[in-house]
Amino acid sequence: MAWGLSGLGLLILLLAGDALVKGAVNLSLRIGIPALIVSLTIVAFGTSAPELLISIKAVMDNVPGIALGNVVGSNTANILLVLGIPALLATMHTSECNTRKSFNHMIAASLLFIALAYRGVFDWIAAIILLVALAAMLSDAARDARAHRKADAVCTVKDEEDLEGVDPDMPGWRIGLFLVLGLVGLPLGASLLVDNATIIAKEFGVSDTVIGLTLVAVGTSLPELATTVVAALRRQADVALGNVIGSNMFNLLAIIGIASLVGPIDVDPAFLQFDLWVMLGASLLLIPFVYLGRNITRIWGIVLVALYVTYLFVVLAG
């Protein structure tokens, strides 16, 4: 029963997150907010809403391992699994996408996150530091996007049509329906998933940290995985690298930053000894694709997926 309810919670989260993004994007553009601002804020936060709600619920339920495991595990899965599986289907021409600056920001965010983790707790002080860093990176991204708005760059959102879920003809009642479904579904799905994931952890005698790093992390990475698989099949997978980098930055800075304002998140020593360094190591694996102009070929796809399977085995065996 717990497995079924966890799956139901995850499904509700994914559908509700998608509904919220569609409703918020169309409402924002309807009332005149520029597409650039929408892409940098509402879409980014909307697609991270499932992870955010899970982390907040985990903090409120005093299972911090799920909150941290969700973020750290999702970041590792985003690189090894979300980029690895599509590469098995078709070469991802990431050399065409200039993501050096975003990659540098992601590494900086990762190092900042690890440094704060060594304080032993993510409290309101850490939350402020993370959110200030997020604001600085968003401001820098906004300046860059504004400067290059008219450039024909692969990884730049230029027009309203580039935004996911945009429908100029969407009636007002449908926008309202999407918003309501998203706002109601997200807390419901988060509650189902966290509560039943905790039950599963107790049944199998594993920690909530392990459940957060595996079941919850992989589940919340499914939207990114679906997107990159479709992109690979359409031979448009060059945008996947930028999407993964952006998602990872939001996970570290926004989700834990906001969740830490709800309540303190204690750091399991296992994170400091292993999982945070795996996350950083996985991030550094992107250097050949970001700086050396390498494409993510099928061979690389096999390597990335194999590394992720090995990581899961170590986590579950430990």
Side-chain angles (χ1 to χ4, degrees):
M1 179 66 77
W3 284 96
L5 290 176
S6 293
L8 178 61
L10 177 61
L11 179 62
I12 293 174
L13 272 173
L14 301 181
L15 294 176
D18 182 61
L20 181 62
V21 169
K22 288 181 179 178
V25 166
N26 284 284
L27 175 63
S28 301
L29 295 176
R30 182 75 60 89
I31 62 179
I33 298 177
L36 170 64
I37 303 302
V38 174
S39 66
L40 289 172
T41 55
I42 295 171
V43 173
F45 277 107
T47 54
S48 296
E51 290 95 327
L52 176 61
L53 266 291
I54 286 173
S55 295
I56 290 176
K57 181 70 168 56
V59 171
M60 295 175 65
D61 289 353
N62 197 30
V63 279
I66 288 182
L68 278 180
N70 175 35
V71 166
V72 175
S74 288
N75 277 23
T76 302
N78 277 350
I79 294 172
L80 300 181
L81 199 63
V82 171
L83 291 179
I85 289 180
L88 297 176
L89 304 176
T91 295
M92 302 172 69
H93 298 282
T94 49
S95 59
E96 299 174 10
C97 185
N98 183 10
T99 55
R100 290 185 181 183
K101 192 170 188 178
S102 297
F103 174 76
N104 291 338
H105 284 170
M106 184 188 73
I107 295 299
S110 300
L111 293 174
L112 174 62
F113 187 86
I114 292 172
L116 291 173
Y118 271 89
R119 297 174 64 245
V121 62
F122 284 93
D123 52 12
W124 67 270
I125 296 175
I128 291 175
I129 293 173
L130 290 172
L131 293 175
V132 167
L134 174 68
M137 290 182 183
L138 281 178
S139 298
D140 185 64
R143 286 194 297 270
D144 285 349
R146 198 175 295 117
H148 299 290
R149 190 181 178 95
K150 295 181 180 179
D152 186 21
V154 173
C155 294
T156 303
V157 176
K158 304 181 292 300
D159 306 308
E160 293 180 4
E161 290 75 13
D162 292 325
L163 290 172
E164 181 182 354
V166 168
D167 180 2
D169 301 321
M170 183 178 292
W173 68 265
R174 186 173 295 177
I175 293 176
L177 178 61
F178 277 132
L179 289 173
V180 170
L181 289 175
L183 294 173
V184 172
L186 283 171
L188 174 61
S191 180
L192 278 173
L193 182 55
V194 172
D195 290 347
N196 288 281
T198 305
I199 293 173
I200 293 171
K202 292 178 180 178
E203 286 180 353
F204 284 85
V206 299
S207 67
D208 53 280
T209 297
V210 170
I211 292 296
L213 286 166
T214 55
L215 173 65
V216 178
V218 172
T220 54
S221 292
L222 288 179
E224 290 90 344
L225 177 58
T227 299
T228 51
V229 166
V230 171
L233 293 175
R234 294 177 178 174
R235 302 193 180 280
Q236 298 172 333
D238 45 304
V239 301
L241 185 57
N243 291 338
V244 164
I245 289 173
S247 175
N248 282 10
M249 281 197 297
F250 262 87
N251 281 348
L252 294 172
L253 302 179
I255 292 176
I256 294 300
I258 295 173
S260 299
L261 293 177
V262 176
I265 304 175
D266 294 325
V267 180
D268 188 322
F271 281 108
L272 303 178
Q273 297 167 6
F274 183 64
D275 300 293
L276 287 174
W277 301 107
V278 171
M279 179 190 74
L280 181 61
S283 300
L284 294 175
L285 284 177
L286 296 182
I287 288 177
F289 316 122
V290 173
Y291 277 100
L292 304 180
R294 301 287 179 82
N295 292 322
I296 306 180
T297 62
R298 286 186 174 89
I299 296 297
W300 273 108
I302 293 172
V303 170
L304 293 176
V305 173
L307 286 173
Y308 188 71
V309 171
T310 303
Y311 170 67
L312 283 185
F313 177 78
V314 172
V315 169
L316 293 173

